[in-house]
Amino acid sequence: MDTGTVGEATEVVRRGEKPSLRTCIVTRAELPPGQMIRFVPGPDDVITPDLARRLPGRGVWVTSTMADVEKAVKSKAFTKSLKRAIVVPADLAALVDRLMLKRTIEALALANKAGAVVTGFAKVDAELSKANIVAVIHATDAAVDGTRKLDRKWLAIARSMGSVPRIINELSTAHLDLAMGRENVVHAGIGAGGAGLRFLTEAERLAHYRKPESSTASDTPAATIADEQVQDTPDPDLSAGSGDAEV
């Protein structure tokens, strides 16, 4: 997972090690990799988002918000940090958004195949009553009335359980249809389990990335909520000898 699994984090504390941090080339903030985006120059010297943090080569890090990626492009921070001539797409921030959206849709499709998703207002409502859902999804083009009814119920249930109601509003009906392999998916519920929580990690990462700059300053990235619960591919850049630019 972006910031490591619970077991890995516990082991780090047991050994007395400090958690790994990366420095944003725009804000200079030092944050865990799960709250940042890694970029590397490709073979053609075009800067490439490395959302999975698997690409080889020397990379740089930017805080995971669209505003900061846009600032990195405008300020030529990539060229300055890598100290070499590279090509930075003018629409890099939009490219990152598209890639995050793709990962989110794919994660939802996998969660659906794993049986971790229910769809339809009535089914979501019923599963909420049984406390079988850990998050609710509404299409961006869903009717306000149905969305409010489910949200009110979900908020009351979550509060009674002492938890935070997790609501995803980043996917359109077309996106949900694509992920679920059926038409007219407007509302969905995510059950507990690795596949569902992996989807939440991707969806909440996308939601945080899209937040206006004024709303991200005081918020903890939502993706970190799920980071503590879902195992992901280990970050190769956390190993000794990483060639990333620490600037």
Side-chain angles (χ1 to χ4, degrees), residues 142-240:
V144 175
D145 184 55
T147 297
R148 285 178 176 172
K149 287 180 180 178
L150 288 176
D151 284 352
R152 281 197 296 266
K153 184 170 185 175
W154 180 213
L155 178 60
I157 292 173
R159 283 178 174 173
S160 69
M161 299 173 64
S163 61
V164 177
R166 300 167 78 167
I167 301 171
I168 305 301
N169 297 291
E170 301 303 318
L171 305 174
S172 68
T173 298
H175 296 144
L176 294 176
D177 291 350
L178 178 62
M180 305 302 294
R182 69 192 70 166
E183 295 183 350
N184 301 319
V185 179
V186 178
H187 305 287
I190 301 295
L197 292 175
R198 173 58 188 270
F199 160 72
L200 289 178
T201 297
E202 298 294 347
E204 291 175 339
R205 184 186 192 189
L206 174 62
H208 180 74
Y209 179 76
R210 289 174 167 178
K211 280 185 179 179
E213 187 173 10
S214 60
S215 67
T216 59
S218 60
D219 291 346
T220 299
T224 61
I225 298 174
D227 282 346
E228 298 177 356
Q229 305 173 58
V230 190
Q231 186 171 358
D232 196 2
T233 303
D235 183 352
D237 299 320
L238 303 187
S239 60

Side-chain angles (χ1 to χ4, degrees), residues 23-25 28 58 60 77 80-83 244-247:
T23 302
C24 174
I25 62 174
R28 314 304 300 174
R58 188 186 187 199
V60 293
K80 295 175 183 176
S81 298
L82 290 167
K83 297 179 173 61
D244 283 0
E246 293 297 336
V247 294

